[in-house]
Amino acid sequence: MRDALAPDTLLSVRNLQTHFVSRSEVAKSVDGVTFDLKRGETVAVVGESGSGKSVTSLSIMGLLAHPGRIVGGEILYRNRQGTVRDLAQASAKEMKRLRGTEIAMIFQEPMTSLNPLFTVGDQIAEMITLHEKISYRAALDRAAEMLELVEIPAARRRVNDYPHHMSGGMRQRVMIALALANKPSLLIADEPTTALDVTIQAQILDLLRRLQSEMGMSILFITHNLGVVAEIAREVVVMYAGRVVEQAPVVDLFARPKHPYTEGLLACTPNAARDVDPNGVRLPLRPIPGSVPPITALPPGCTYAPRCTYAVPGCTGAVPPLFSVGASHLSRCFRHELL
Amino acid sequence: MAATMTAAMPASGRSQFLRSLLRRKPVVIGLAVLLLILLLALFGPMLSPYAASKLSLASRLKPPSPEHWLGTDDFGRDVLTRLAVAGRLSLLVGFSVVVVSCVIGVTLGLLAGFFRRLDTPVARLIDAMMAFPDILLAIALVAALGPSVVNVIAALGIVYAPRLARIVRASTLVIRELPYVEAARALGVSTPRIMVRHVLRNLLSPILVQSTFIFASAMLAEAGLSFLGVGVSPSVPTWGTMIAQGRQYLDQASWIMFFPGLAIVCAVLSLQLVGDGLRDLLDPRLSKDI
């Protein structure tokens, strides 16, 4: 099974199952997620809050909080030595060694993701000295280079700035510098642009794309924003209530969504040109009715059926499998032919 | 949020922090009195013409006069000189208790706050210890350990540790969940390093504030223990033993008791004033007026 990892594949998540087990109930936060991430490429995981996208990323990082646990599946990762490791089975020690060096992560809240007590240069230098035996002074020098790399103006001077001296966009750049300080092979970006305004979002995405082409890392991009997905990803995994509901190359997904949920998500993305009738009157947006079911009380069969406009009584009978609906295009819908 | 960061901000904000601290009158008064007591304790015995334990029956129970500024006690010893010598010990006890309770309290608080598994046992232990009246627990501990300066310090250190532990635990619980701690973990920073660099460093200001209060309480408690005869041996001059001895002569020579009492009041009050000032400045909820 492990040898089945193609040589250009960095990460292969296979049938990942992450459950949160409490005394009275089991929350299947991630239920059978499978996707591959090739070297230097970007896969986006899309879903609403509670869809399991963040738990997927934390499972890969080995940072699940109690009582979360990986109960099944594999997270095959090709490390720098070229050996394939199953991160789902890796020891805490091995995971700690990988974090920050080979796998790094950036978060949603740039305003609070930096320690307010230390200068940004100091924090980047800490990252470098943690994983590499060089002097603090040399590390600080490298920190300045990293700040230049993430396009912070007057980087040499701003090394000595505290986080509160910086704007949200600047801090997210510092976070990226921090994450990339040790040139990781895999960058997990958990909604890195959600807290930023649109122009800054575009700059950060642009920066990530540039750094990716220069440093060659793979990016696992977690987001709920389909606009961002179109900007950055090559392949998209759409999650709903812990399961993958659709998986496709990005162009395919936007052109031919094959799952009612994806279609619904696309329909509720505002689009000024589309949402106006011929007389110039704005049409109402079409939100998906209802909300994501609680993960501990999923409806039987297709979990999306209660909100689905295409649903028929048969949909609640059994969990639909992933149907192949095109070239590397999968959909978990019995009625995908209608779409 | 911005206020928190300004208050906790080192280096560039340091001089501004000092300035706003010294703008508060109670803090200045407190610091001045403390400095005076410290100078008296450090240099008083050297400058005094009298030895602290020299007996002189001829000058027994003399009221304050140009020779003996604060009078003499029942053995003819100079009260001012004894006050200064006793001050050394009282300050030493206060300081040592702060150190001991910091070591115990911060360790327990950090462990309880950081590791869920330890939280319940440690939190219950803290609650149990806080349920005892301070002085009663101290008496019991000194009784068990035997009366000596070291044991008084140990006992009071244990008595005051839960106060710090509780504060540290509560703040650790909050900081542990902050995004930058999660980010540090995601970037491979080890747990001990996160605890010291990212959590403890953020707790220094509440610890500092609580330490000044513990300093004051410890001095008061030491005096109380010595007065009750369960603290240091009566032959060792502390402010508490001086009061205990002077009690018998209250009607003839009130100065023997009055001045050590005044010293305790001044020291404790000024420590509290400084502590209040620090807390007002460092507490984000109160620091809007900086």
Side-chain angles (χ1 to χ4, degrees):
Chain A
M1 187 73 182
R2 282 185 197 185
D3 306 312
L5 200 59
D8 62 340
T9 303
L10 179 75
L11 179 80
S12 176
V13 176
R14 293 176 182 179
N15 196 24
L16 178 68
Q17 314 245 353
T18 303
H19 295 181
F20 285 75
V21 183
S22 71
R23 218 164 286 171
S24 52
E25 50 197 8
V26 175
K28 298 181 178 176
S29 296
V30 174
D31 194 5
V33 169
T34 300
F35 64 86
D36 276 8
L37 179 53
K38 290 195 168 74
R39 269 183 209 287
E41 288 204 347
T42 303
V43 167
V45 179
V46 187
E48 289 171 87
S49 313
S51 61
K53 57 192 196 302
S54 283
V55 176
T56 304
S57 66
L58 292 176
S59 303
I60 297 169
M61 294 293 287
L63 285 175
L64 286 169
H66 182 81
R69 217 158 55 82
I70 298 175
V71 295
E74 290 170 308
I75 303 170
L76 301 183
Y77 170 78
R78 189 187 303 279
N79 65 18
R80 284 202 185 140
Q81 288 76 42
T83 33
V84 175
R85 304 285 304 161
D86 182 2
L87 302 186
Q89 309 285 341
S91 67
K93 211 172 148 194
E94 182 178 358
M95 286 315 294
K96 212 198 112 223
R97 205 175 53 237
L98 286 176
R99 281 198 293 270
T101 48
E102 296 201 24
I103 306 178
M105 190 163 178
I106 52 178
F107 292 89
Q108 187 177 346
E109 303 94 347
M111 301 309 278
T112 47
S113 290
L114 293 163
N115 189 332
L117 295 185
F118 300 97
T119 63
V120 296
D122 188 32
Q123 298 189 46
I124 300 173
E126 183 198 10
M127 275 327 298
I128 298 172
T129 49
L130 265 182
H131 301 289
E132 210 176 312
K133 292 257 169 291
I134 60 171
S135 74
Y136 179 75
R137 187 151 284 284
L140 212 54
D141 235 43
R142 277 263 295 280
E145 284 167 26
M146 288 309 297
L147 290 185
E148 263 165 25
L149 192 68
V150 295
E151 297 164 11
I152 288 183
R156 295 273 153 195
R157 195 157 42 82
R158 305 218 74 171
V159 167
N160 298 317
D161 278 6
Y162 286 90
H164 71 271
H165 292 141
M166 296 186 154
S167 65
M170 283 293 160
R171 287 189 209 181
Q172 195 57 287
R173 285 169 192 270
V174 172
M175 274 311 293
I176 293 172
L178 206 57
L180 299 185
N182 294 302
K183 303 200 168 43
S185 321
L186 172 62
L187 177 69
I188 299 180
D190 191 352
E191 309 218 16
T193 58
T194 305
L196 305 171
D197 54 38
V198 187
T199 48
I200 309 292
Q201 270 189 24
Q203 289 176 16
I204 295 287
L205 292 176
D206 218 39
L207 175 70
L208 280 174
R209 261 198 316 228
R210 203 203 83 214
L211 291 173
Q212 182 176 35
S213 66
E214 281 172 22
M215 302 172 76
M217 76 265 186
S218 311
I219 300 179
L220 181 63
F221 204 98
I222 315 285
T223 184
H224 63 255
N225 186 337
L226 280 169
V228 170
V229 171
E231 285 287 316
I232 197 157
R234 174 180 286 254
E235 190 167 328
V236 188
V237 176
V238 182
M239 285 185 72
Y240 185 79
R243 295 197 187 111
V244 174
V245 292
E246 185 165 7
Q247 195 163 344
V250 66
V251 181
D252 226 24
L253 186 94
F254 279 84
R256 287 175 295 279
K258 287 290 182 190
H259 192 281
Y261 179 60
T262 318
E263 193 191 50
L265 281 182
L266 288 169
C268 52
T269 316
N271 180 334
R274 186 194 63 196
D275 298 339
V276 173
D277 73 7
N279 305 322
V281 179
R282 284 200 188 144
L283 301 169
L285 287 170
R286 286 174 292 150
I288 301 173
S291 56
V292 184
I295 205 84
T296 48
L298 292 176
C302 174
T303 48
Y304 186 64
R307 301 172 74 185
C308 184
T309 45
Y310 297 87
V312 291
C315 286
T316 52
V319 177
L322 277 170
F323 297 98
S324 178
V325 293
S328 44
H329 193 151
L330 300 171
S331 168
R332 195 184 287 279
C333 180
F334 289 121
R335 313 194 73 207
H336 57 87
E337 280 128 354
L338 293 179
L339 286 150
Chain B
M1 197 63 212
T4 328
M5 288 171 178
T6 329
M9 180 181 65
S12 58
R14 204 167 276 155
S15 60
Q16 205 224 318
F17 173 77
L18 269 182
R19 228 176 300 136
S20 38
L21 187 67
L22 292 178
R23 210 178 294 142
R24 284 154 196 266
K25 228 174 239 146
V27 175
V28 177
I29 295 172
L31 284 175
V33 174
L34 278 182
L35 192 68
L36 204 70
I37 292 172
L38 197 67
L39 289 177
L40 178 74
L42 284 179
F43 302 112
M46 286 176 229
L47 299 174
S48 162
Y50 309 101
S53 48
K54 170 120 189 311
L55 306 185
S56 163
L57 289 178
S59 50
R60 201 169 163 262
L61 300 176
K62 286 271 159 57
S65 67
E67 294 93 76
H68 297 282
W69 290 359
L70 302 184
T72 61
D73 67 3
D74 50 327
F75 293 108
R77 296 174 295 194
D78 184 53
V79 171
L80 179 58
T81 313
R82 277 182 77 74
L83 202 63
V85 173
R88 286 180 173 184
L89 202 75
S90 294
L91 290 173
L92 178 76
V93 169
F95 182 74
S96 312
V97 168
V98 168
V99 173
V100 172
S101 56
C102 271
V103 171
I104 302 175
V106 170
T107 312
L108 281 181
L110 262 185
L111 290 176
F114 212 84
F115 300 109
R116 269 162 219 273
R117 225 165 268 222
L118 289 176
D119 191 22
T120 311
V122 174
R124 288 297 86 76
L125 177 74
I126 293 170
D127 287 346
M129 285 178 72
M130 303 244 333
F132 286 101
D134 289 354
I135 203 86
L136 220 57
L137 186 56
I139 290 174
L141 285 170
V142 175
L145 297 169
S148 77
V149 178
V150 174
N151 289 346
V152 167
I153 291 171
L156 290 177
I158 293 170
V159 168
Y160 293 122
R163 288 194 195 179
L164 268 167
R166 210 162 62 152
I167 291 168
V168 171
R169 172 184 166 268
S171 310
T172 305
L173 284 175
V174 174
I175 295 177
R176 183 183 68 183
E177 304 296 336
L178 287 184
Y180 67 78
V181 171
E182 198 189 353
R185 195 172 293 132
L187 294 176
V189 182
S190 66
T191 304
R193 204 178 158 86
I194 288 177
M195 285 171 82
V196 173
R197 186 175 152 102
H198 297 283
V199 178
L200 190 55
R201 270 292 296 261
N202 271 293
L203 292 176
L204 285 188
S205 42
I207 292 174
L208 177 69
V209 171
Q210 196 57 32
S211 292
T212 60
F213 294 130
I214 289 180
F215 201 130
S217 308
M219 286 180 75
L220 203 57
E222 179 272 322
L225 287 179
S226 301
F227 178 80
L228 292 171
V230 289
V232 299
S233 130
S235 61
V236 181
T238 72
W239 292 339
T241 55
M242 285 176 76
I243 294 175
Q245 278 167 12
R247 196 172 56 102
Q248 303 156 36
Y249 301 95
L250 186 57
D251 47 347
Q252 313 160 36
S254 54
W255 55 87
I256 305 178
M257 219 176 137
F258 177 73
F259 290 110
L262 188 67
I264 293 173
V265 170
C266 288
V268 171
L269 186 64
S270 50
L271 276 167
Q272 301 269 21
L273 290 177
V274 174
D276 269 342
L278 280 177
R279 187 184 54 195
D280 290 356
L281 266 189
L282 295 173
D283 191 323
R285 279 162 300 173
L286 303 169
S287 67
K288 285 187 198 82
D289 58 332
I290 315 182

